[in-house]
Amino acid sequence: MPNIANDPTRKSWILVPENSDFPIQNIPFGVFITKNNDITIGSRIGNTAIDMGALQRLGYFEGIELTDDMFMQDTLNDFISDGKKTWRLVRNRLAELFDAKNPKLRDNEKHCEIILFDVSEIEMLLPVQIGDYTDFYSSKEHATNVGKMFRDPENALLPNWLHIPVGYHGRSSTIVPSGVPVKRPNGQTLPLGETQPIFGPSQRVDFELETAFITTDANLMGEPIPIEEAEEYIFGMVLFNDWSARDIQKWEYVPLGPFLAKNFASSISPWIVTMDALLPFRVKGPEQNPKPLPYLQQTGEHAFDIHLEVAIQPENVEETIVSKSNFKYMYWSMSQQLAHHTVNGCRVNSGDMMGSGTISGPTEDSFGSMLELTWGGKNPIKMKDGSERKFINDNDTVIIRGYCKNEKVRIGFGECSSKLLPAPPIK
């Protein structure tokens, strides 16, 4: 089936500002509350949100096999479960409906009033009910930096790292959409030079610059997903800030790995950009040496050229960009992550989310966390207001942005933005 929605020459009758993340070639999917307090599945072109539930009620998806309430739900899980054929049919239909040359909806003023909203009039919700969440550790630069700080600088990477996409199972209960503030966590830490832990608010709250991918129903329990098929089961991607408490992490992570230092909050961008929309931005990933075992081997272009940046905005102050990185630096691809995740027979369901792991590049200004950018707090970053940051302060807002761009089109994710509030008092 052709992917006509990606036609770079297509224009929309909806106004798209210059350098918008959401041209008609994007057509992401999300869930929002309208100004009429209705929850709907929708899409976006420019600064206009599209109520797909209203589109369905008015017959604009005629000819596509959909359940009667497919877009009138509060999550995308059922739509994602329908598989790639349905995703492409729906995205193609939206591209046709909003094409500048198509008068069918454009000239129906009554329907436009029901279907279209300015993005300032809606409230974005979590786009999927996330049943399971896995976070990988797939940036070689990041793993090397952390290994140098936390372990032996001469043996920064553990022996398994170049052979498997390392990951851990996280908590989906504290994943929130962009715009929802998070609270500084309380926990145990071991102050420098002490032998006994103390309890209180974390002093080293950090962001982690990540992306995440959302899966469809991929397999039955006991059935691995072959690497050459893995991408067929990936619906799309979001920006992801996997908040971390570095002092809690340092005390608790040996020997089992992340726990309370990670599961207090994670933030995602609310619009899921489909793999179909990202196809024009494929690139070859880093060379893998030693060669992975056969079930992880792949040829061709399996990375994506996604420009990423992180800004910190103190309260009532102009933001400061602290990192510029790129998803193409990731050592292990999404297909390798999903193939490895299921090689033991682990079942993957619709709405499951897989975090990339912190995305760090090869230069100091491309590191994906404050832990690396300040090298454990030794080299503070100066903000535009003259203040300094070793880690994230109370009432700072962390903003992650990401986009792809070639000579024909720009596709973006919008923002993943979240404010850090003070820790709750301990009763």
Side-chain angles (χ1 to χ4, degrees), residues 11 20 65 121 157 247 283 302 329:
K11 303 292 183 185
S20 170
E65 290 188 22
E121 299 175 319
L157 290 179
D247 44 0
V283 292
H302 296 280
Y329 297 136

Side-chain angles (χ1 to χ4, degrees), residues 31-42 49-54 57 113-125:
V31 176
F32 57 83
I33 304 175
T34 71
K35 64 182 179 182
N36 304 318
N37 287 322
D38 297 320
I39 297 178
T40 185
I41 287 171
I50 300 160
D51 182 341
M52 291 171 59
R57 289 193 300 272
E113 288 180 5
I114 298 170
I115 293 165
L116 303 180
F117 300 88
D118 188 274
V119 290
S120 64
E121 299 175 319
I122 64 169
E123 178 186 346
M124 297 302 300
L125 303 178

Side-chain angles (χ1 to χ4, degrees), residues 242-253:
D242 191 24
W243 292 91
S244 299
R246 299 300 185 186
D247 44 0
I248 296 175
Q249 179 183 6
K250 187 175 182 180
W251 172 235
E252 75 175 357
Y253 90 116

Side-chain angles (χ1 to χ4, degrees), residues 43-107:
S43 188
R44 175 175 177 172
I45 296 176
N47 293 324
T48 300
I50 300 160
D51 182 341
M52 291 171 59
L55 277 175
Q56 185 174 13
R57 289 193 300 272
L58 293 168
Y60 286 96
F61 292 115
E62 186 179 358
I64 302 176
E65 290 188 22
L66 300 168
T67 57
D68 291 343
D69 65 343
M70 177 65 81
F71 300 123
M72 302 163 207
Q73 302 184 41
D74 58 4
T75 75
L76 282 158
N77 291 58
D78 283 357
F79 175 55
I80 295 173
S81 287
D82 258 20
K84 191 169 185 175
K85 180 182 176 182
T86 299
W87 312 337
R88 186 169 287 185
L89 284 170
V90 168
R91 193 164 164 270
N92 283 348
R93 178 64 57 85
L94 291 172
E96 292 171 335
L97 274 174
F98 294 99
D99 188 290
K101 299 175 183 176
N102 188 345
K104 184 175 182 179
L105 176 57
R106 181 194 68 196
D107 296 348

Side-chain angles (χ1 to χ4, degrees), residues 119-404:
V119 290
S120 64
E121 299 175 319
I122 64 169
E123 178 186 346
M124 297 302 300
L125 303 178
L126 204 65
V128 291
Q129 182 178 346
I130 302 168
D132 282 301
Y133 152 54
T134 300
D135 193 35
F136 285 94
Y137 189 51
S138 291
S139 162
K140 187 177 181 181
E141 290 81 4
H142 174 67
T144 300
N145 290 337
V146 172
K148 287 178 179 178
M149 279 185 272
F150 281 15
R151 290 189 297 273
D152 177 7
E154 299 302 316
N155 297 284
L157 290 179
L158 290 173
N160 66 346
W161 200 93
L162 294 172
H163 296 275
I164 61 173
V166 174
Y168 74 95
H169 294 289
R171 287 283 297 179
S172 60
S173 59
T174 42
I175 297 174
V176 295
S178 175
V180 175
V182 305
K183 292 181 179 180
R184 180 179 296 273
N186 291 295
Q188 286 191 32
T189 60
L190 184 68
L192 192 64
E194 298 295 324
T195 58
Q196 295 299 313
I198 62 172
F199 180 82
S202 167
Q203 300 302 305
R204 293 191 159 204
V205 173
D206 198 357
F207 67 81
E208 287 193 341
L209 169 60
E210 300 192 29
T211 62
F213 66 85
I214 312 294
T215 65
T216 184
D217 299 291
N219 62 333
L220 298 175
M221 184 175 172
E223 295 184 357
I225 299 172
I227 192 163
E228 59 272 12
E229 297 177 15
E231 205 171 289
E232 296 297 307
Y233 301 104
I234 300 175
F235 174 64
M237 296 177 66
V238 294
L239 303 175
F240 185 52
N241 178 3
D242 191 24
W243 292 91
S244 299
R246 299 300 185 186
D247 44 0
I248 296 175
Q249 179 183 6
K250 187 175 182 180
W251 172 235
E252 75 175 357
Y253 90 116
V254 178
L256 292 178
F259 186 33
L260 300 185
K262 297 279 191 174
N263 66 13
F264 65 96
S266 299
S267 305
I268 70 170
S269 54
W271 293 107
I272 303 175
V273 178
T274 63
M275 298 309 295
D276 267 355
L278 295 169
L279 286 177
F281 306 99
R282 283 188 181 279
V283 292
K284 194 170 177 57
E287 182 181 353
Q288 295 183 324
N289 185 24
K291 192 173 185 178
L293 292 175
Y295 78 97
L296 289 172
Q297 290 176 14
Q298 55 186 170
T299 58
E301 297 178 334
H302 296 280
F304 292 85
D305 185 11
I306 305 173
H307 302 274
L308 300 163
E309 71 174 34
V310 183
I312 297 174
Q313 184 175 23
E315 196 165 36
N316 301 318
V317 174
E318 185 182 357
E319 69 177 47
T320 301
I321 294 174
V322 297
S323 175
K324 290 189 175 184
S325 194
N326 196 298
F327 182 70
K328 68 183 179 183
Y329 297 136
M330 298 302 289
Y331 188 85
W332 295 103
S333 72
M334 292 184 287
S335 293
Q336 288 175 317
Q337 290 171 341
L338 189 54
H340 182 67
H341 201 310
T342 61
V343 74
N344 67 344
C346 176
R347 183 175 176 180
V348 170
N349 298 311
S350 173
D352 284 357
M353 193 178 86
M354 315 285 177
S356 62
T358 304
I359 302 168
S360 290
T363 59
E364 291 184 2
D365 62 348
S366 64
F367 293 164
S369 66
M370 293 296 279
L371 178 69
E372 298 163 89
L373 289 165
T374 69
W375 209 253
K378 294 177 182 176
N379 306 310
I381 296 174
K382 184 163 284 191
M383 301 287 103
K384 287 187 176 178
D385 66 349
S387 63
E388 292 185 337
R389 293 294 183 279
K390 295 180 179 180
F391 291 92
I392 307 303
N393 287 2
D394 286 348
N395 299 312
D396 283 351
T397 298
V398 177
I399 306 164
I400 297 177
R401 302 183 180 95
Y403 67 92
C404 309

